[in-house]
Amino acid sequence: MMKQIATGLLAATVTVIAVSEANAWNRNRTVTTNRGTHSLSASGSCANNTCTRNATRTGVYGGTATRSGSVTCDPASNSCSGSRTTTGPNGGTIYREGEVHW
């Protein structure tokens, strides 16, 4: 579990470094299968060494999950820290945070 968290934070950190300042984006996607429709609505932005992302997913059976998070990098100290909160379709919440130094 810890390896997955560290890997996810590292991937987010690489994304933060690769994204230009004041960059904003939105994504809306719908997929329909023989089981039903799944949708994703996500947005994010970067400014002042901080990137944020918010996403809402609705599954084929109507359950909705949300995830929001941010990563802040400090080039002076060669570090990034971030956190995210995920709320599942039944209301359970998971909070994760971490820090990376290079």
Side-chain angles (χ1 to χ4, degrees), residues 26-49:
N26 288 296
R27 175 181 293 162
N28 293 295
R29 183 176 296 164
T30 301
V31 176
T32 300
T33 68
N34 60 347
R35 291 185 170 192
T37 301
H38 174 271
S39 64
L40 166 69
S41 176
S43 63
S45 64
C46 294
N48 302 318
N49 296 325

Side-chain angles (χ1 to χ4, degrees), residues 5-96:
I5 293 170
T7 302
L9 184 57
L10 182 58
T13 301
V14 172
T15 302
V16 169
I17 293 169
V19 174
S20 64
E21 294 293 317
N23 188 19
W25 57 271
N26 288 296
R27 175 181 293 162
N28 293 295
R29 183 176 296 164
T30 301
V31 176
T32 300
T33 68
N34 60 347
R35 291 185 170 192
T37 301
H38 174 271
S39 64
L40 166 69
S41 176
S43 63
S45 64
C46 294
N48 302 318
N49 296 325
T50 298
C51 288
T52 60
R53 179 181 184 265
N54 297 297
T56 300
R57 292 180 186 268
T58 301
V60 295
Y61 300 111
T64 299
T66 60
R67 178 178 285 173
S68 62
S70 65
V71 174
T72 301
C73 292
D74 180 7
S77 66
N78 294 327
S79 67
C80 294
S81 61
S83 64
R84 75 178 186 197
T85 302
T86 303
T87 302
N90 296 321
T93 300
I94 298 172
Y95 176 79
R96 294 179 175 170

